[in-house]
Amino acid sequence: GQGAGWQADWGTLADQAVDGVSALEACCGCGKETATGECTDDPGFEDSVGDTCEEYVTWAWCTRDGGVGPGWNPAWGSFTNYGNHVGETDLSGMYEGRGVTAPLACCACGKNRTQEDPLCSDTDGWADLLGYTCDAYTRHHLCTPDGEPGGGWLQWWGSDLMALATGGVSAKRACCACGKSAQSCLD
């Protein structure tokens, strides 16, 4: 997305498109979808303070893997602080009252993140201390592909995925989407 070095007089990424193709469609780091499927931002998404998917990209507040970007101020806390209170609100009550966040609604922030490695399979029957499975970690952006807490991770759970590990196995070792195998996108 547009990072801190982007000049306002350049307009948006779409304004800089070449032959109708913007960086959002050509560059993985800017929002290009992986080869496994198409992605569409949730129509009309705004977070709890009115910011849209485009603003998350413009200000580099998120990353393609659902994590916080270089433009995100740590003082703001996690993405869950900015849920829009509309749409998906069920993971055993986890999102109740917190709403949909940018990683759940915006392609450039990790929406529809998928595991591309056909050799990777999630550990059968694995669930963390709270009962969340690999599917829950993927759908709710609880982790990033490099094994770090994702945008949906709640701070009081701890600073890393081991905080909810069961039998010494965290999502990083059990779930493909959380680092068990690397994910890639080709520019």
Side-chain angles (χ1 to χ4, degrees), residues 90-135:
D90 184 41
L91 177 61
S92 300
M94 187 180 102
Y95 285 110
E96 195 162 316
R98 293 184 185 84
V100 176
T101 60
L104 293 172
C106 308
C107 298
C109 296
K111 178 184 176 186
N112 291 351
R113 187 173 49 142
T114 60
Q115 177 51 250
E116 295 180 32
D117 185 348
L119 300 177
C120 183
S121 60
D122 293 335
T123 302
D124 285 337
W126 181 86
D128 70 11
L129 288 175
L130 299 176
Y132 301 133
T133 63
C134 290
D135 182 56

Side-chain angles (χ1 to χ4, degrees), residues 153-177:
W153 185 264
L154 301 179
Q155 292 178 350
W156 60 81
W157 290 341
S159 62
D160 64 35
L161 300 181
M162 282 301 294
L164 296 181
T166 54
V169 178
S170 73
K172 184 175 183 173
R173 285 188 41 213
C175 309
C176 297

Side-chain angles (χ1 to χ4, degrees), residues 24-96:
L24 292 172
E25 299 151 322
C27 173
C28 296
C30 300
K32 176 185 175 186
E33 184 53 40
T34 61
T36 60
E38 295 181 16
C39 184
T40 304
D41 290 339
D42 286 2
F45 170 78
E46 291 184 353
D47 68 12
S48 64
V49 295
D51 293 314
T52 64
C53 291
E54 184 176 338
E55 289 170 295
Y56 273 79
V57 171
T58 299
W59 300 108
W61 290 337
C62 62
T63 62
R64 284 286 296 151
D65 62 14
V68 297
W72 188 261
N73 183 336
W76 298 340
S78 73
F79 291 135
T80 56
N81 295 342
Y82 297 90
N84 69 5
H85 309 287
V86 176
E88 187 171 343
T89 58
D90 184 41
L91 177 61
S92 300
M94 187 180 102
Y95 285 110
E96 195 162 316

